[in-house]
Amino acid sequence: MQRPGRSFVAIACTFVLIAAGCGGSSSPQAQGHFGNGSFSGSYAFVLSGKDASGFFAVAGSLQADGGGHITRGTMDINAAAGVSTSVSFTGSYSVHPNGQGSAQLVSPVRTFNIHFVLVSASRAMLASFDANTTGHGTADLQSLTVLDNSALAGQYAFNLAGVDVGANPLATLGGLVADGAGTIASGVSDASDNGVPSGDQPVTGTYSLAASGRGTMTLTTSLGTLHFAFYPVSNRRFKLVETERSPALAGEATVGSNASVSVPGCGPCVFRLSGIVGGKPFAAAGIFGTDDAGGITPNGFQDINTGAGAASVGISGGSYGFAGNFHGTLSLRNGVTGVLSNYVIYPSADGILFLCVDPGSTVTGVATIQAGAGLPFQDLSFQGAYAFSVSGTVLNGSTDVVGQVSASFTGHPTSTTPGTLTGALDINQAGVLTPNLVLDGSFTLDTNARGTAALHTASGTQNVILYAAGPNSPLYFVGRDAGFVAAGSFDLQQ
């Protein structure tokens, strides 16, 4: 009989008590090929979430020496206490063989404790690990050699989230063109401010990148004139944090495209979504296809969790289109109620970015074109070592998790012959911290790449629903149990 689902924090607390009284079993963190030398060089990062005073965000760059020391760094901090710009810091870090790690960033303004998992030596998924603080983000190895305005040239899609002047949830997607000389002559943005959408608004601005690697950017949008500090990863990606307290936004920009997602069709596409609907947390994952003629095929499905546990709902149709100026629109029809959910979509280097534009919703997400759908399982395999990351909603008891999970199977993993999971997680649930929670589990995955996974500890099980995108692509998931309203991904470690 399957053990009932329980919250990560309940599992974690019980497990820690059990582990404290046990003899020295080998931790999954001791297995793998990573180490301190895997985190070496200059990294740009962004982290945002909620502390005891409200929303906070930080972006910056750091220099890791490969030996556990952060020798120098610069960051910009946006918090309730105020905005601090160009803050110098140093610190330390440690990386386990499985890619899990921890870091401390120490500055005169604020110290940040962070846990992370390496996807590779070039990319890490971050979670805040300070008591009474939640947050998540990313860090990427910087490869930019030219540090002036010419480093940013071409079209970018941006994805920013935070709070408005009333501390309500705010999210915005957009596209812009940087001319390589400090001017943003054209762009467009869409936003949802506490569930009130505003769309197809022009964006203009200026930017300046200094030889230090820190840049400043001003964007004139429907939200007003916004000022940012930014830190480039390469000429294809940069991290941003707003440098005025309200509204307060942070996120990333990556190379964008005006091109249609028809390839032909959308593959199909697997997606994940999270945010707030009607003032309550929301998370979903699913799959849809297109007919190459502006329509959504009637054979998609999704799993939606609004707090009572995930409900499986078919996608019976809808539509999509592109305006030729950075973005397009997408609607997905609920196969039970017939109601359409409406999104703006921005193609980017990270996938197809989503923003829900239905009143009452502040929901964002991403979709990835699926390869090999309907073909033998190996084309959509879940096998190997994966970086595991979870993010819930920022303002409603956020859950942030990073960890490493190894998946293996013999033959085709089905409900009668599942694959196996082993690993370890670092969990921050509403500011309650539990490091190195050892897990094992099982999973199934059908030829449409929808499956389930059960993550076991000594005290219970956490269940998720999986959607696979194909070889070397992320597996997205949504929490299946009541109370675990979060979405995340498994990213294959390199």
Side-chain angles (χ1 to χ4, degrees):
M1 179 180 296
Q2 186 181 57
R3 288 169 284 182
R6 295 176 59 181
S7 72
F8 267 134
V9 71
I11 295 169
C13 291
T14 304
F15 183 84
V16 168
L17 293 174
I18 293 172
C22 296
S25 60
S26 176
S27 166
Q29 289 184 320
Q31 304 168 19
H33 62 274
F34 293 102
N36 284 352
S38 304
F39 191 68
S40 179
S42 181
Y43 291 80
F45 66 92
V46 64
L47 179 75
S48 63
K50 184 182 179 183
D51 60 21
S53 300
F55 177 80
F56 80 93
V58 57
S61 64
L62 62 84
Q63 184 70 37
D65 69 354
H69 308 100
I70 297 171
T71 57
R72 65 180 185 276
T74 302
M75 60 183 169
D76 291 79
I77 305 168
N78 190 328
V83 175
S84 301
T85 60
S86 298
V87 178
S88 297
F89 67 92
T90 57
S92 59
Y93 70 93
S94 177
V95 180
H96 297 288
N98 73 341
Q100 284 181 270
S102 60
Q104 187 176 65
L105 313 183
V106 181
S107 80
V109 175
R110 180 168 175 170
T111 294
F112 292 92
N113 291 289
I114 297 169
H115 281 209
F116 60 87
V117 60
L118 294 178
V119 179
S120 68
S122 299
R123 185 165 176 82
M125 315 302 289
L126 313 180
S128 174
F129 235 67
D130 288 305
N132 302 314
T133 301
T134 57
H136 58 273
T138 57
D140 289 278
L141 184 66
Q142 294 178 295
S143 61
L144 203 61
T145 56
V146 177
L147 294 174
D148 59 32
N149 288 348
S150 66
L152 266 64
Q155 183 171 320
Y156 297 87
F158 60 82
N159 180 7
L160 305 173
V163 294
D164 65 11
V165 294
N168 301 304
L170 171 64
T172 180
L173 303 184
L176 58 85
V177 175
D179 69 355
T183 298
I184 298 167
S186 63
V188 66
S189 67
D190 295 86
S192 178
D193 185 351
N194 197 28
V196 179
S198 60
D200 205 21
Q201 300 296 310
V203 172
T204 57
T206 60
Y207 67 96
S208 178
L209 179 60
S212 65
R214 178 184 182 271
T216 58
M217 181 175 291
T218 299
L219 297 179
T220 301
T221 75
S222 62
L223 301 173
T225 300
L226 309 178
H227 301 87
F228 297 89
F230 72 88
Y231 293 84
V233 173
S234 66
N235 59 6
R236 296 179 57 85
R237 181 187 300 274
F238 54 95
K239 319 279 188 179
L240 304 94
V241 63
E242 195 166 358
T243 53
E244 54 244 328
R245 180 54 196 163
S246 58
L249 295 165
E252 298 193 48
T254 59
V255 167
S257 171
N258 286 336
S260 165
V261 295
S262 176
V263 288
C266 191
C269 284
V270 295
F271 66 92
R272 63 176 171 90
L273 303 166
S274 62
I276 296 173
V277 176
K280 298 180 179 180
F282 170 94
I287 185 170
F288 68 89
T290 70
D291 63 7
D292 260 349
I296 302 298
T297 56
N299 55 354
F301 43 91
Q302 60 186 325
D303 291 274
I304 300 170
N305 194 333
T306 58
S312 297
V313 178
I315 295 173
S316 60
S319 62
Y320 76 98
F322 281 82
N325 60 341
F326 308 99
H327 70 324
T329 60
L330 171 75
S331 64
L332 302 177
R333 187 178 303 279
N334 186 304
V336 175
T337 65
V339 173
L340 288 171
S341 296
N342 300 287
Y343 304 90
V344 291
I345 52 176
Y346 284 78
S348 81
D350 285 341
I352 304 164
L353 305 179
F354 277 49
L355 173 69
C356 186
V357 290
D358 293 328
S361 298
T362 306
V363 172
T364 59
V366 64
T368 300
I369 295 175
Q370 187 190 68
L375 297 177
F377 169 80
Q378 284 78 4
D379 293 315
L380 295 163
S381 62
F382 185 26
Q383 179 146 303
Y386 289 81
F388 175 89
S389 60
V390 177
S391 60
T393 53
V394 171
L395 301 177
N396 288 267
S398 174
T399 298
D400 296 292
V401 184
V402 291
Q404 190 268 355
V405 176
S406 293
S408 63
F409 66 93
T410 301
H412 187 107
T414 65
S415 58
T416 56
T417 309
T420 61
L421 300 172
T422 58
L425 306 177
D426 295 323
I427 299 169
N428 182 343
Q429 183 160 344
V432 178
L433 310 176
T434 308
N436 193 24
L437 175 61
V438 178
L439 69 88
D440 62 68
S442 61
F443 71 94
T444 66
L445 198 63
D446 64 27
T447 54
N448 290 315
R450 180 184 184 273
T452 61
L455 309 178
H456 304 309
T457 72
S459 60
T461 300
Q462 189 71 46
N463 298 288
V464 300
I465 300 171
L466 302 168
Y467 287 87
N472 301 316
S473 295
L475 286 89
Y476 296 139
F477 65 85
V478 62
R480 188 176 185 179
D481 301 320
F484 183 42
V485 188
S489 66
F490 293 88
D491 291 86
L492 186 65
Q493 288 181 314
Q494 305 294 325

